[in-house]
Amino acid sequence: MSPIHYVALSVILFVIGGVGVLVRRNAIVVFMCIELMLNACNLAFVAFARMHGNLDGQVIAFFVMVVAAAEVVVGLAILMAIFRARRSASVDDANLLKY
Amino acid sequence: MTTLHTVAATGALKLSWLLLAFPLFGAVVLLLGGRRTNRWGHLLGVAMPVAAFVYGLIAFFTLLGDTDRSQDQHLYSWIPVAGLQVNMNLLVDQLSICFVLLITGVGSLIIIYSVGYMSHDVDRRRFFGYMNLFLAAMLLLVLGDNYLVLYVGWEGVGLASYLLIGFWQYKPSAAVAAKKAFIVNRVGDAGLTLAIFLMFSEFGTVSFSGVFGSVKSGGSGVATALGLLLLLGACGKSAQVPLQSWLLDAMEGPTPVSALIHAATMVTAGVYLLVRSNPILAVTPDARLAVVLVGTVTLLFGGIIACAKDDIKKSLAGSTMSQIGYMTLGAGLGPAGYVFAIALLLAHGFFKAGLFLGAGSVMHGMNDEVNMRRYGGLGRVMPITSVTFGLAYLAIIGIPPFSGFFTKDPIIGADFSEHGAAGKVLGTLALIGAGITAFYMTRMMFMTWYGKRRWEPEAHPHESPAVMTWPMIVLAIGSVGAGAFLILNDRLQKFLAPVVGVPPTSEGVFSTAGLVALAFALVGVALAWVMYGRVPVPAVAPRGRPLTVAARKDLYGDAFNESVLMRPGQWLTRLSVFFDNRGVDGLVNTLAAAVGGTSGRVRKLQTGFVRSYALSMFFGAAVLVALLLVVRL
């Protein structure tokens, strides 16, 4: 299997994640879709690293994982707080910060 | 033709800075000392001018015994810049020593008089501080050896005049009069300022000797411009038409102020400026003619106003304008008139100060009543004041052998022999002015000293204390003798000749014009007797003929200023306010409103829906990627 297929897979995963972020209302699902997009990027990085024969992409994939982990910690905490305050996990309900 | 040759000061004249130092010290101590100096403040205020006068006498006699009578005392280098060297130098010469003696002598007398006149005023210390400040500034004005130092003194006396006119500043009329005097003087000062600028740009120097040395080679255009600008400056300070309006209102100040500043000394500074600048005027007949015209117009203008005023001080103020008109006229006649202008100035210092102090003495005894229609028959209750006033009266109307005859009539005579046909016309007007002078002064005499007593019921007039009568007696002696002393044997003429030149021909004292002027004066006296001496004076002013009504309103000088200068000025102000509000502010406000309105609309994009933000981010990222691809390809 040529690495280009991995790139194609990563594009498919990224688009699925993106569409999920845009169309889903449940914050948990939106959150998971963001994780999906991050991992699609990771896949692309690793595939390109393989294609170009250097380790830069692989190293960046580790950084992305660390960032994602940190993001999960903060993001889930915020989600918990919102849910406790408003009894809802819908992103459309948390719309007080506006004009 | 004269130019200024000076030598460095020697001997006693090396201390000429003392002249300034005495009154300045008095002013500083009295004005900064506060209430601590209240008890003895007036004594210091008297001592300092007297000390300056004593030094002035020493300097005068030192100068008489010296062959070089124009001595320059270098104090320090004031503005040492490459292209402009201005020194703080004091020039003691024949002309300035005359003024020094007048200022300190008459000034000392008036300040002694003020001790009595101001004895009931709570602010007497401040008054003496201001008077000392005035004397210091006035001495600096006449002693400076360049136009810039003169200008410092010129502004200093303007400040002192402002402070003293508004001395009773709780009276709105006094506060307004002070402001008016200051503002009208600014117009004249602008002329002097421009003249100094012009001297610097044309000749590169502002010192008397430098300017006078190069004015002949500077072309007549520059000289005429300088002459006219200096005339404008003189008009402001000396209350000459068209800048005359402030002097009548300046009578709001205490009477000693009117006597010292607005009769004897400060208002003659314009004449000093013109006479001092005689080498400039010598080059430019046009400016000289303008000076003569201004003088002639003012001597009639002031005289007519003086005829109609019932307020004794305002009548005297009109008379001051008129007499300074004679001096200005004399200064415009060239070497033929300078000596007589200065002689009249010195004699006027005596008799007009005497008249004002007499008026002050009457006011002191009459509860500050100034309306002559409420006087009458005061001669018997105030004998000393009435006699000194009478002597000054005889001096001002030019009865021989009093001083006005020797000093004013030669100006009229010289007027006839200068400036061709115009001189004849102007001389005739000056003769009429002599008649008017006699008329209003006689009117004042009859209304004040003779006739029925028209006093207010609560008035109890009494003779003033000795501290006030003695200065009046000394001034009366001066009024009697000064003219004869200065003019007979050509004393003043010989003394001043190195500064102002020699009159071409001297007709002698008893000239034809002098005798005709005497005849005019006698007609004026007779007319005044018919109108005010023979018939009783009504206590309430009658309506009067149109000329009287006009003269009561200062010949519409204020109305003219108001309609020609003030109203257009207000329109200009309103126009610029409108332009500022609508134009400048409008532009800025429109811009701000546009930004505000746009952002008000744009902020609606901030919906609070996270998913719509995400969509715009995706969209934006997609556009960026697309652009990158397009650019790359």
Side-chain angles (χ1 to χ4, degrees):
Chain A
M1 273 226 311
S2 117
I4 196 69
H5 295 112
Y6 292 98
V7 177
L9 177 62
S10 108
V11 169
I12 291 165
L13 288 175
F14 190 88
V15 170
I16 291 171
V19 171
V21 167
L22 291 180
V23 302
R24 297 303 296 262
R25 289 196 180 82
N26 191 318
I28 303 283
V29 178
V30 171
F31 201 73
M32 283 177 3
C33 288
I34 291 171
E35 293 301 314
L36 195 58
M37 286 161 75
L38 283 171
N39 282 307
C41 292
N42 272 351
L43 188 58
F45 275 126
V46 174
F48 283 126
R50 178 84 183 175
M51 279 161 70
H52 295 290
N54 67 16
L55 290 173
D56 290 358
Q58 312 230 13
V59 173
I60 290 175
F62 280 113
F63 280 108
V64 173
M65 277 183 215
V66 173
V67 172
E71 186 217 325
V72 167
V73 173
V74 179
L76 283 179
I78 293 172
L79 271 180
M80 282 298 292
I82 290 176
F83 186 76
R84 281 190 180 160
R86 314 178 68 91
R87 289 282 135 199
S88 150
S90 166
V91 286
D92 285 2
D93 286 346
N95 64 349
L96 286 181
L97 190 64
K98 60 181 177 184
Y99 51 85
Chain B
M1 189 61 226
T2 55
T3 45
L4 206 60
H5 293 295
T6 58
V7 295
T10 52
L13 294 175
K14 273 181 129 51
L15 295 173
S16 49
W17 55 271
L18 276 175
L19 279 173
L20 301 176
F22 281 129
L24 196 61
F25 174 76
V28 168
V29 168
L30 291 180
L31 293 179
L32 300 184
R35 253 171 295 169
R36 279 183 294 279
T37 60
N38 266 355
R39 228 151 35 85
W40 45 268
H42 56 284
L43 298 178
L44 182 78
V46 170
M48 289 297 115
V50 171
F53 178 60
V54 169
Y55 178 78
L57 279 179
I58 294 171
F60 175 66
F61 285 113
T62 314
L63 211 58
L64 278 184
D66 229 324
T67 41
D68 288 314
R69 288 182 180 173
S70 186
Q71 308 209 356
D72 209 341
Q73 172 61 25
H74 177 73
L75 294 187
Y76 59 90
S77 185
W78 182 23
I79 305 179
V81 209
L84 177 67
Q85 297 289 339
V86 181
N87 290 325
M88 188 57 92
N89 285 5
L90 299 184
L91 173 67
V92 182
D93 71 349
Q94 294 91 333
L95 183 59
S96 60
I97 199 74
C98 284
F99 273 86
V100 165
L101 289 179
L102 172 76
I103 295 161
T104 55
V106 175
S108 299
L109 289 174
I110 293 174
I111 286 187
I112 291 169
Y113 172 96
S114 315
V115 172
Y117 189 83
M118 301 296 284
S119 56
H120 303 306
D121 201 291
V122 287
D123 253 349
R124 184 164 67 159
R125 171 187 54 83
R126 189 162 61 92
F127 178 82
F128 282 95
Y130 289 161
M131 286 295 247
N132 274 270
L133 178 69
F134 166 75
L135 287 176
M138 189 71 202
L139 287 167
L140 184 65
L141 194 164
V142 297
L143 284 172
D145 93 325
N146 58 65
Y147 281 98
L148 208 59
V149 173
L150 179 146
Y151 188 72
V152 175
W154 188 269
E155 292 299 305
V157 293
L159 169 71
S161 160
Y162 167 79
L163 292 171
L164 283 165
I165 295 170
F167 183 72
W168 290 317
Q169 78 276 44
Y170 49 80
K171 286 200 306 196
S173 56
V176 170
K179 271 196 287 186
K180 184 175 178 184
F182 203 73
I183 291 166
V184 176
N185 265 297
R186 287 277 80 64
V187 180
D189 294 352
L192 182 55
T193 319
L194 290 175
I196 295 173
F197 292 166
L198 191 59
M199 285 166 198
F200 173 61
S201 70
E202 287 293 323
F203 311 132
T205 173
V206 294
S207 74
F208 289 152
S209 49
V211 171
F212 299 162
S214 41
V215 71
K216 257 204 321 201
S217 53
S220 67
V222 175
T224 305
L226 276 180
L228 292 177
L229 288 171
L230 291 174
L231 174 62
L232 180 61
C235 279
K237 202 49 99 198
S238 293
Q240 302 291 292
V241 175
L243 299 177
Q244 83 292 353
S245 62
W246 65 272
L247 186 61
L248 291 155
D249 289 2
M251 296 299 124
E252 286 292 339
T255 309
V257 173
S258 310
L260 178 60
I261 301 186
H262 305 118
T265 54
M266 185 192 86
V267 285
T268 57
V271 180
Y272 169 77
L273 180 69
L274 291 175
V275 174
R276 175 59 86 190
S277 310
N278 67 77
I280 298 177
L281 292 178
V283 190
T284 159
D286 296 343
R288 277 218 308 277
L289 187 61
V291 173
V292 169
L293 275 175
V294 164
T296 310
V297 169
T298 310
L299 75 89
L300 289 174
F301 199 95
I304 291 170
I305 291 175
C307 288
K309 291 281 182 188
D310 291 330
D311 180 328
I312 187 168
K313 283 182 74 183
K314 293 210 167 171
S315 187
L316 284 173
S319 160
T320 303
M321 272 166 66
S322 172
Q323 299 300 310
I324 297 172
Y326 276 109
M327 297 172 210
T328 309
L329 172 63
L333 295 175
Y338 292 134
V339 173
F340 302 118
I342 296 298
L344 176 58
L345 196 158
L346 298 175
H348 177 258
F350 284 108
F351 61 67
K352 187 51 68 63
L355 290 171
F356 264 111
L357 294 192
S361 177
V362 173
M363 286 164 61
H364 197 65
M366 294 280 282
N367 299 337
D368 285 332
E369 177 67 71
V370 290
N371 188 352
M372 288 192 287
R373 291 188 185 278
R374 311 301 310 210
Y375 287 176
L378 284 168
R380 203 151 292 201
V381 280
M382 306 179 82
I384 301 176
T385 308
S386 70
V387 169
T388 56
F389 197 93
L391 291 174
Y393 156 75
L394 292 173
I396 192 175
I397 66 173
I399 300 289
F402 297 94
S403 57
F405 174 75
F406 290 104
T407 51
K408 191 161 59 179
D409 295 352
I411 294 180
I412 302 175
D415 201 5
F416 274 103
S417 44
E418 292 282 316
H419 288 300
K424 301 276 181 293
V425 177
L426 297 174
T428 311
L429 292 176
L431 274 177
I432 294 171
I436 293 176
T437 306
F439 175 78
Y440 64 70
M441 285 312 300
T442 312
R443 171 178 178 267
M444 193 181 289
M445 287 296 287
F446 279 126
M447 289 178 88
T448 307
W449 307 111
Y450 300 103
K452 243 177 55 208
R453 298 178 170 184
R454 302 177 300 273
W455 308 341
E456 295 280 355
E458 63 268 23
H460 301 290
H462 52 86
E463 185 56 271
S464 298
V467 71
M468 288 166 72
T469 49
W470 276 106
M472 292 194 287
I473 292 167
V474 176
L475 287 171
I477 294 169
S479 318
V480 173
F485 176 78
L486 294 171
I487 298 296
L488 290 182
N489 291 335
D490 293 338
R491 276 199 192 88
L492 187 68
Q493 183 182 319
K494 283 179 195 148
F495 184 63
L496 285 180
V499 187
V500 300
V502 185
T505 51
S506 187
E507 268 196 77
V509 179
F510 295 95
S511 63
T512 333
L515 295 176
V516 177
L518 187 58
F520 268 83
L522 292 177
V523 170
V525 171
L527 202 60
W529 180 74
V530 168
M531 287 175 71
Y532 297 96
R534 207 180 48 171
V535 292
V537 180
V540 178
R543 248 173 69 86
R545 280 182 283 279
L547 183 63
T548 314
V549 175
R552 277 192 197 134
K553 292 184 173 155
D554 308 347
L555 290 178
Y556 301 114
D558 286 336
F560 175 84
N561 285 348
E562 206 169 291
S563 54
V564 175
L565 303 169
M566 194 194 89
R567 299 262 173 251
Q570 280 184 330
W571 290 331
L572 191 68
T573 317
R574 267 183 227 145
L575 195 69
S576 26
V577 167
F578 180 81
F579 177 74
D580 187 45
N581 282 346
R582 296 294 169 84
V584 178
D585 284 7
L587 196 68
V588 175
N589 288 345
T590 310
L591 207 64
V595 171
T598 313
S599 57
R601 291 190 184 83
V602 171
R603 74 175 187 171
K604 297 278 180 202
L605 293 176
Q606 207 83 15
T607 52
F609 288 112
V610 179
R611 291 187 303 136
S612 78
Y613 301 161
L615 182 61
S616 48
M617 277 168 67
F618 274 114
F619 188 71
V623 168
L624 271 182
V625 170
L627 278 178
L628 279 175
L629 284 175
V630 168
V631 172
R632 187 63 69 75
L633 298 176

